[in-house]
Amino acid sequence: MNLSNSQTLTVSGQDLTRNGSSSSSSNNLTPTRKPKPPKPENAITIAVSARVLFNMEREQQIYVQQGMEDYIKYQVEHETEPFRPGPAFSFVKVRLINTINHHQLFIERFCMTGGNSPIGYLKAYHANLYLSADSGKVREALEEGIAAATMFTPEKMTEVSETQLRVAFDGDAVLFSDESERIYKAHGLDKFFEHEKAHENKPLDHGPLKGFLEALGKLQKKFYGKGQRMDCPIRTYLVTARSAASSGTRALKTLRSWGLEIDEALFLAGAPKGPMLEKIRPHIFFDDQMFHVEGAAEMGTVACHVPYGIAQRGTVDKQTFSAP
């Protein structure tokens, strides 16, 4: 059986677009032997902007301030100098299948869009997730029904595991729809709790990153089927500001109704997420509210903003950010 994690790096304009796969098999592979492309049922396709895979701040400044021609000239003049890792680097390079003798991260496809948006290519690549530093392109991808998030670089980055991929998700407006947040914003916390209790057995609608959790789950189940649940190289977390006692049940029942599992569910009842994420040390964390993204980044977590739902409409104060 060939289990793989495929990363598609789709980049626009000043970025490079590439598709890489980390592929493994039961055979011993040497670094000179190129792994076979993964089968779709054994792969996750992730589109990653080069600006978040590598640190390209200097290049970005030239592109924005001086234009494409000077940008190209600078790139050619420095083409032999490697980039420093960016916030997505550890997420892309992590070894997913540590129970198999060997696997490699290699580049399959390369594409340059000459300044045009890459979003049109994502569906053709069957991308499960798109990560970029450009919030406009992220919004465009979400409008096309593609799981996407804007990635930020923390000033310090916490060391993360190289043998287990850890992915942390917020609940509402990330895995789930923003239904509950709309109730909270319009009617307050008491009405929110009342609504959740009344609809406890009604699953929430899906949010923009449900499909990505599903893709991770499919890979996890291959290990579960071999009795390797505790040794699975992928671990998922729900980190939500919901309260376990008053509104957590609906979130868990929703996941169960979708046939999805989450390895750990952490209900913080409005408390800051940064300290908990510092303990988890995920490779990546997704939240729809910048308050939590910034708090996570301050603690060294690579955090991504999902610009989806009511929290993105107008000015949202800090009290709203502590909502479910």
Side-chain angles (χ1 to χ4, degrees):
M1 180 172 61
N2 180 32
L3 298 179
S4 309
N5 178 43
S6 172
Q7 291 93 18
T8 303
L9 274 70
T10 304
V11 186
S12 67
Q14 66 277 24
D15 294 334
L16 303 177
T17 302
R18 45 188 248 172
N19 180 16
S21 298
S22 170
S23 182
S24 306
S25 71
S26 58
N27 298 323
N28 287 327
L29 300 177
T30 66
T32 58
R33 180 178 176 184
K34 185 177 180 180
K36 294 180 180 180
K39 296 178 181 179
E41 65 270 22
N42 295 331
I44 297 175
T45 302
I46 303 173
V48 185
S49 164
R51 282 175 54 200
V52 294
L53 181 63
F54 305 114
N55 187 318
M56 299 179 66
E57 293 306 312
R58 170 62 177 156
E59 289 75 12
Q60 175 68 3
Q61 288 177 0
I62 293 173
Y63 177 78
V64 172
Q65 297 173 7
Q66 299 171 221
M68 177 67 80
E69 295 304 317
D70 283 351
Y71 168 82
I72 294 174
K73 180 181 178 181
Y74 181 87
Q75 291 286 52
V76 171
E77 290 173 349
H78 296 80
E79 64 182 353
T80 61
E81 300 174 14
F83 294 110
R84 289 183 292 117
F89 191 84
S90 62
F91 175 62
V92 170
K93 86 181 183 80
V94 65
R95 292 184 176 90
L96 290 184
I97 305 174
N98 58 356
T99 58
I100 300 176
N101 291 334
H102 180 82
H103 83 280
Q104 295 173 270
L105 185 69
F106 70 97
I107 299 171
E108 271 191 337
R109 292 196 291 256
F110 225 112
C111 174
M112 287 185 263
T113 62
N116 293 326
S117 172
I119 305 306
Y121 297 109
L122 296 182
K123 286 189 175 180
Y125 282 150
H126 302 289
N128 298 110
L129 176 68
Y130 174 56
L131 298 173
S132 176
D134 188 325
S135 60
K137 292 186 179 67
V138 167
R139 291 177 186 274
E140 187 180 347
L142 289 172
E143 289 172 1
E144 292 296 319
I146 299 166
T150 308
M151 187 170 250
F152 297 91
T153 306
E155 291 186 8
K156 61 172 184 176
M157 281 197 276
T158 300
E159 289 187 13
V160 292
S161 172
E162 289 198 3
T163 58
Q164 184 181 63
L165 178 66
R166 298 174 186 172
V167 184
F169 300 88
D170 178 31
D172 296 282
V174 176
L175 292 179
F176 314 128
S177 73
D178 68 336
E179 168 197 326
S180 297
E181 286 191 348
R182 283 187 273 114
I183 296 293
Y184 170 82
K185 190 168 180 65
H187 304 291
L189 195 58
D190 289 341
K191 285 293 184 182
F192 161 76
F193 289 139
E194 185 179 309
H195 176 267
E196 291 302 289
K197 186 64 178 177
H199 295 81
E200 183 177 296
N201 295 313
K202 179 184 177 182
L204 290 152
D205 288 335
H206 70 83
L209 264 63
K210 176 200 172 191
F212 180 50
L213 178 61
E214 286 179 325
L216 292 173
K218 287 179 182 178
L219 291 184
Q220 287 180 304
K221 285 179 180 178
K222 294 180 183 296
F223 290 88
Y224 298 169
K226 290 179 172 289
Q228 298 175 341
R229 178 181 289 269
M230 298 308 296
D231 297 321
C232 181
I234 303 173
R235 193 163 185 83
T236 56
Y237 302 80
L238 173 65
V239 183
T240 173
R242 282 174 175 258
S243 166
S246 56
S247 58
T249 301
R250 191 180 185 197
L252 296 177
K253 286 185 176 180
T254 296
L255 291 171
R256 191 180 307 136
S257 74
W258 292 344
L260 297 180
E261 296 184 50
I262 204 87
D263 291 303
E264 297 188 31
L266 305 169
F267 299 95
L268 303 185
K273 298 181 181 181
M276 186 63 71
L277 291 165
E278 186 181 30
K279 298 297 183 183
I280 295 171
R281 297 191 172 217
H283 293 80
I284 194 166
F285 166 62
F286 300 96
D287 203 292
D288 68 306
Q289 303 191 43
M290 280 302 300
F291 177 78
H292 292 308
V293 171
E294 292 166 355
E298 287 175 2
M299 305 296 287
T301 297
V302 173
C304 298
H305 180 234
V306 181
Y308 175 87
I310 193 169
Q312 318 312 316
R313 301 168 197 165
T315 302
V316 184
D317 61 23
K318 289 190 175 181
Q319 183 178 358
T320 303
F321 278 128
S322 66

